[in-house]
């Protein structure tokens, strides 16, 4: 039986084993998917050991995505540009490829939630850390106009050097109603880590009222602070990042299993249940 794993720290609550088991069932594949807790110092050796012993593929999560990009022998162009890897694919003879499916995972989840094929929207990404920067390319590739707003403006300016069509919005502007209604409908994406601490962001309620979707890349047992805020402000539609987690996993699955892309809708209820029970 093929063995897969996810490297992270912490990793005890990872939903990836459940997600990949459910995907495998869709195709009648038998696999073993484990969680690998490792330290920064031990990460490279843990990866090498896993693949030496015949591992079929691995996911990489916080805090190893950047280190993983420096470890592989082949980087996909999108992973090279993101400087991050969430999927490791063995190529044989000790060679290892690294890819990132995070950005495409978000795009596919936005399309799923909004029931559309393309993304003809303005996507206002709040935050400019690793989570935010990893999704810019895929959003732009899907046709979205990406605007970024971050507490520390310098981080957005730095990203504008890498992504020429990236627009910046001063963080203070979020505390006031949007200046003009843009021609294009807007999606609001929270890519800050503020949800982890239950902190509300200084966003005026009009931003939530005008948006077609308020999306939090984070998820949890309870609705995140951002989604509570969006809901209270009168947002038409809200969604957390659990769908993105499953979409990026589906894309990893396809990379390991001859392009077979699992159905996300089919596993979402079970994963939501498991999240609630943990
Ligand atoms: P991640 O990998 O999750 O993106 P990160 O790289 O540490 O984590 O980035 C965290 C992001 O959340 C940053 O954009 C951070 O803003 P700053 O760059 O100004 O620090 C943002 N963030 C975290 N807590 C926040 C808060 N309370 N209000 C606004 N932004 C916050």
């Amino acid at each position: 039986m093929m063995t897969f794993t996810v490297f992270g720290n912490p990793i005890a609550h990872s939903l990836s084993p459940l997600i990949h088991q459910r995907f495998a069932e869709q195709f009648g594949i038998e696999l073993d998917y484990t969680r690998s807790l490792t330290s920064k110092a031990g990460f490279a050796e843990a990866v090498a050991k896993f693949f030496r012993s015949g591992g079929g593929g691995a996911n990489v999560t916080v805090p190893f995505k950047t280190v993983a990009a420096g470890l592989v022998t082949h980087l996909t162009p999108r992973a090279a540009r993101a400087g991050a890897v969430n999927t490791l694919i063995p190529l044989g003879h000790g060679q290892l490829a690294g890819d990132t499916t995070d950005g495409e995972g978000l795009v596919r989840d936005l399309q799923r939630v909004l029931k559309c094929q393309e993304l003809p929207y303005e996507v206002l990404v709040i935050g400019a850390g690793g989570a935010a920067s990893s999704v810019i390319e895929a959003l732009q590739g899907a046709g979205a106009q990406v605007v970024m707003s971050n507490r520390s403006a310098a981080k957005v300016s730095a990203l504008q050097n890498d992504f020429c069509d990236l627009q910046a919005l001063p963080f203070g502007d979020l505390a006031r109603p949007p200046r003009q209604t843009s021609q294009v409908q807007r999606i609001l994406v929270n890519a800050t880590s503020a949800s982890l601490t239950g902190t509300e962001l200084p966003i005026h309620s009009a931003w939530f009222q005008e948006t077609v979707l308020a999306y939090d890349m984070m998820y949890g047992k309870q609705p995140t602070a951002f989604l509570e805020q969006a809901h209270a402000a009168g947002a038409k539609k809200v969604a957390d990042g659990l769908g993105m987690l499953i979409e990026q996993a589906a894309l990893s699955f396809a990379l390991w299993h001859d392009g077979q892309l699992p159905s996300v809708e089919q596993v979402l209820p079970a994963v939501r249940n498991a999240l609630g029970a943990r």
Side-chain angles (χ1 to χ4, degrees):
M1 197 190 306
M2 282 281 243
T3 307
F4 298 84
T5 198
V6 53
F7 293 99
N9 192 344
I11 202 66
H13 294 297
S14 170
L15 294 163
S16 295
L18 168 68
I19 295 171
H20 282 274
Q21 285 300 344
R22 291 296 173 111
F23 286 166
E25 284 164 17
Q26 292 180 20
F27 299 101
I29 296 171
E30 275 193 42
L31 57 80
D32 187 26
Y33 190 111
T34 63
R35 301 179 182 92
S36 296
L37 177 69
T38 175
S39 64
K40 266 216 158 115
F43 176 68
E45 181 48 32
V47 169
K49 198 172 158 197
F50 175 74
F51 286 107
R52 265 199 313 269
S53 63
N59 284 122
V60 178
T61 186
V62 184
F64 304 121
K65 290 186 182 183
T66 313
V67 198
L71 203 80
V72 296
T73 49
H74 297 76
L75 261 186
T76 61
R78 62 183 179 180
R81 284 190 292 268
V85 155
N86 78 343
T87 310
L88 297 171
I89 307 129
L91 301 173
H93 309 291
Q95 309 271 295
L96 198 58
D99 195 6
T100 176
T101 61
D102 284 335
E104 205 186 330
L106 173 64
V107 164
R108 290 177 60 87
D109 203 41
L110 294 176
Q111 290 169 335
R112 184 185 64 82
V113 172
L114 290 167
K115 298 181 174 53
C116 60
Q117 299 289 314
E118 310 269 312
L119 273 187
Y121 296 98
E122 177 186 304
V123 179
L124 173 54
V125 177
I126 305 163
S133 58
S134 70
V135 297
I136 301 170
E137 179 175 333
L139 287 170
Q140 289 182 334
Q145 202 178 310
V146 183
V147 182
M148 191 169 270
S149 189
N150 193 51
R151 187 173 55 181
S152 324
K155 283 193 195 165
V156 183
S157 310
L159 285 171
Q160 283 180 308
N161 292 329
D162 298 333
F163 300 94
C164 64
D165 293 329
L166 180 66
Q167 293 174 46
L169 179 82
F171 196 65
D173 285 12
L174 294 175
R176 296 183 285 277
R179 259 195 213 122
Q180 82 244 17
T181 6
S182 84
Q183 301 296 88
V184 190
Q185 288 184 304
R186 186 187 297 114
I187 300 173
L188 222 54
V189 172
N190 177 33
T192 73
S193 48
S195 282
L196 295 176
T197 52
T199 314
E200 278 202 4
L201 294 170
I203 304 173
H204 193 277
S205 55
W207 286 96
F208 290 115
Q209 284 152 15
E210 288 183 10
T211 190
V212 290
L213 170 68
Y215 189 97
D216 197 340
M217 283 171 62
M218 303 279 161
Y219 56 86
K221 207 168 168 158
Q222 310 292 340
T224 66
F226 177 79
L227 293 186
E228 294 271 31
Q229 192 179 352
H231 188 69
K236 287 185 222 49
K237 203 167 211 163
V238 299
D240 71 3
L242 195 67
M244 175 182 172
L245 173 80
I246 305 173
E247 291 283 2
Q248 62 78 28
L251 294 162
S252 292
F253 186 95
L255 288 170
W256 300 325
H257 302 281
D258 301 320
Q260 298 182 98
L261 192 62
S263 152
V264 166
E265 294 281 357
Q266 266 185 43
V267 307
L268 195 49
V271 179
R272 178 75 65 193
N273 265 343
L275 177 64
R278 81 182 187 189

